[in-house]
């Protein structure tokens, strides 16, 4: 009897401590109504549920970069970017660098079985973003962050369950990793990407620009305005233009689609994206899952966007950080498989340079 009890305790502890977490969480399945109706319903009810709508935009599916119309899926997708004032206060209470986790992303996408709603799971994101606490032996603080994030996650899921019809679910979606791997910055790909962390390895979340700033928050806003001008005048390189098919010149233009400020007024988080990169990434992420009647399965990863750019005051300097694209692709698209990464090895480097050129303008050339 004693042995049986010990076995029960052992296996229970495995289930307790080796839980799995998807980067994405499916919340509503087979929702009736059009995407525009579902989108409007969520947007209209966000404020009353404690969420601020930063933007609501259509997302470009693989059809957009596929010239062969016979291979089009015809499905649509929509991205809603939210924030929560209470949540931003929680994040930045541990330091304004953690503003990087401030975007709450909701996706609506069509499938052969109907329209689904999905989120980027804030718990999983914070298990990665805050794992520098775990790695620096601040385990209790790390667990405290995760506990607080679970409350926010429950609130977000409850809001979507109450606002949208269809089957109400909470299903982890690939890529899925266990909590130990997330806390310990474990690698998905040996010798290719490195540890899954932002702040334990400066190569994963590099500083792309630094300048002296004695003008406090005004200096941050001035640099953001400069970035806006640079984005408007950005001209992609030949390598960028030749990488994959695009319909219009503006498809290679990066655009700021969301923005939040740290409550401490010492950081600004920008979210950027562009049509071609969205469509290509979903094409790659879904290619191994394509089948007759479902030619765009990769659009279930739509909440991987926007790409985060952090402007932050550190000492006397204003520093700009953004994730290395190989690392970010690993984080959000690892389930595409090793072969997909090997077949598109040049893509992350092209995107890294494109983003820096677009944001920094002449300052990139000077560096």
């Amino acid at each position: 009897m004693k042995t049986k009890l010990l076995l029960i305790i052992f296996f229970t502890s495995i289930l307790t401590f080796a839980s799995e977490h998807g980067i994405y969480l499916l919340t509503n399945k087979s929702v009736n109504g059009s995407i525009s109706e579902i989108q409007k319903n969520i947007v209209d009810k966000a404020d009353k549920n404690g969420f601020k709508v930063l933007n609501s935009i259509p997302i470009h599916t693989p059809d957009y970069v596929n010239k062969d119309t016979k291979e089009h899926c015809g499905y649509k997708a929509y991205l809603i970017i939210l924030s929560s004032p209470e949540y931003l206060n929680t994040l930045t209470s541990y330091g304004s660098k953690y503003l990087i986790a401030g975007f709450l992303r909701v996706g609506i996408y069509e499938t052969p079985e109907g329209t689904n709603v999905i989120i980027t799971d804030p718990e999983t994101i914070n298990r990665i973003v805050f794992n520098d606490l775990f790695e620096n032996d601040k385990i209790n603080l790390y667990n405290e962050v995760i506990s607080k994030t679970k409350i926010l996650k429950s609130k977000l899921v409850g809001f979507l369950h109450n606002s949208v019809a269809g089957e109400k679910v909470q299903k982890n979606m690939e890529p899925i990793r266990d909590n130990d791997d997330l806390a310990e910055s474990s690698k998905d790909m040996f010798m290719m990407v490195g540890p899954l962390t932002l702040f334990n390895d400066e190569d994963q979340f590099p500083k792309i620009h630094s300048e002296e700033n004695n003008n406090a928050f005004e200096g941050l806003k001035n640099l953001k305005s400069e970035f806006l001008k640079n984005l408007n005048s950005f001209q992609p390189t030949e390598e960028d233009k030749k990488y994959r098919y695009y319909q219009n010149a503006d498809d290679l233009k990066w655009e700021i689609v969301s923005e939040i400020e740290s409550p401490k007024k010492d950081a600004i988080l920008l979210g950027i994206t562009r049509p071609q990169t969205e469509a290509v990434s979903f094409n790659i992420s879904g290619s191994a899952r394509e089948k007759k009647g479902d030619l765009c399965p990769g659009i279930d990863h739509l909440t991987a966007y926007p790409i985060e750019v952090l402007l932050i005051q550190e000492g006397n300097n204003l520093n700009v950080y953004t994730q290395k694209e190989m690392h970010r692709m690993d984080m959000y698209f690892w389930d595409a498989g090793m072969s997909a990464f090997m077949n598109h090895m040049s893509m992350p480097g092209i995107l890294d340079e494109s983003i820096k050129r677009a944001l920094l303008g002449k300052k990139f050339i000077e560096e």
Side-chain angles (χ1 to χ4, degrees):
M1 182 68 183
K2 185 177 180 181
T3 302
K4 184 177 180 181
L5 180 62
L6 288 172
L7 284 171
I8 291 172
I9 293 171
F10 174 72
F11 285 112
T12 301
S13 69
I14 290 176
L15 291 172
T16 301
F17 295 110
S19 57
E20 293 189 327
H21 307 276
I23 284 289
Y24 310 102
L25 184 74
L26 187 67
T27 63
N28 302 72
K29 285 180 66 177
S30 304
V31 183
N32 292 325
S34 67
I35 275 192
S36 59
E37 291 170 339
I38 299 166
Q39 174 265 342
K40 186 178 185 303
N41 211 26
I42 294 172
V43 167
D44 288 349
K45 295 180 180 179
D47 185 63
K48 290 181 180 178
N49 285 272
F51 298 100
K52 179 182 178 181
V53 178
L54 301 177
N55 210 343
S56 184
I57 55 174
I59 284 288
H60 297 81
T61 73
D63 288 356
Y64 199 74
V65 290
N66 192 340
K67 288 188 281 187
D68 187 352
T69 56
K70 293 179 181 179
E71 296 182 6
H72 283 192
C73 64
Y75 297 143
K76 296 177 181 178
Y78 228 93
L79 174 67
I80 303 171
I81 309 165
L82 305 173
S83 70
S84 160
E86 182 182 358
Y87 183 52
L88 294 181
N89 283 326
T90 298
L91 292 175
T92 56
S93 69
Y94 298 94
S96 283
K97 70 179 184 180
Y98 296 115
L99 185 67
I100 193 71
F103 293 140
L104 301 171
R105 293 166 283 187
V106 179
I108 311 165
Y109 64 99
E110 295 175 336
T111 76
E113 290 76 36
T115 303
N116 293 345
V117 177
I118 198 166
I119 63 172
T120 303
D121 190 330
E123 179 188 345
T124 307
I125 296 300
N126 282 352
R127 286 181 180 276
I128 297 169
V129 169
F130 283 87
N131 63 18
D132 63 313
L133 296 179
F134 187 93
E135 290 290 295
N136 288 295
D137 296 324
K138 297 178 180 178
I139 298 173
N140 289 338
L141 204 57
Y142 177 79
N143 290 333
E144 178 184 288
V145 173
I146 301 308
S147 294
K148 290 179 179 179
T149 306
K150 287 180 179 179
I151 296 172
L152 176 278
K153 173 181 169 180
S154 178
K155 181 179 177 182
L156 179 59
V157 171
F159 158 52
L160 294 172
H161 281 176
N162 292 330
S163 303
V164 181
E167 182 184 351
K168 296 168 176 55
V169 297
Q170 291 191 57
K171 180 183 178 183
N172 287 327
M173 300 288 281
E174 294 283 359
I176 295 173
R177 304 169 176 95
D178 70 40
N179 54 350
D180 289 338
D181 283 342
L182 294 170
E184 296 169 4
S185 312
S186 297
K187 299 179 181 180
D188 287 322
M189 292 183 280
F190 181 68
M191 299 276 301
M192 278 185 68
V193 179
L196 190 60
T197 184
L198 271 70
F199 302 118
N200 285 323
D201 186 335
E202 63 183 17
D203 290 337
Q204 311 295 36
F205 190 59
K207 185 189 303 178
I208 64 169
H209 178 68
S210 182
E211 62 183 59
E212 189 175 354
N213 177 38
N214 297 312
N215 201 18
F217 192 60
E218 284 301 311
L220 282 165
K221 291 195 289 186
N222 290 340
L223 184 60
K224 183 198 75 174
S225 297
E226 186 178 321
F227 283 179
L228 279 167
K229 292 178 183 177
N230 292 339
L231 289 170
N232 288 333
S233 60
F234 170 64
Q235 295 296 323
T237 63
E238 286 302 310
E239 185 179 32
D240 200 359
K241 288 190 283 188
K242 290 179 180 178
Y243 181 70
R244 282 288 289 267
Y245 167 75
Y246 58 95
Q247 295 187 21
N248 309 297
D250 285 349
D251 293 343
L252 296 181
K253 291 258 189 180
W254 295 97
E255 179 184 1
I256 296 173
V257 295
S258 54
E259 172 187 342
I260 47 179
E261 299 175 355
S262 169
K264 298 179 178 181
K265 299 299 180 185
D266 60 354
I268 298 173
L269 181 65
L270 304 177
I272 64 171
T273 188
R274 66 179 184 178
Q276 189 224 39
T277 300
E278 293 169 3
V280 170
S281 63
F282 303 141
N283 176 251
I284 295 170
S285 65
S287 59
R289 295 183 284 142
E290 288 180 11
K291 59 185 179 182
K292 187 176 180 180
D294 188 9
L295 298 177
C296 298
I299 58 175
D300 59 1
H301 287 38
L302 78 160
T303 56
Y305 293 95
I307 295 168
E308 304 87 350
V309 179
L310 181 67
L311 288 64
I312 185 169
Q313 184 78 26
E314 295 178 314
N316 293 325
N317 287 343
L318 195 171
N319 297 324
V320 182
Y321 298 87
T322 192
Q323 217 169 338
K324 270 297 220 13
E325 283 304 302
M326 175 63 90
H327 182 261
R328 199 173 189 282
M329 288 179 177
D330 174 41
M331 182 169 165
Y332 288 97
F333 298 102
W334 166 236
D335 56 309
M338 179 70 80
S339 61
F341 277 78
M342 295 298 291
N343 290 337
H344 299 89
M345 283 294 290
S346 64
M347 183 178 175
I350 292 171
L351 293 178
D352 285 334
E353 180 176 336
S354 181
I355 289 169
K356 286 188 284 187
R357 281 184 179 274
L359 290 169
L360 301 178
K362 291 181 180 178
K363 287 181 177 177
F364 173 81
I365 306 300
E366 292 168 0
E367 291 176 352

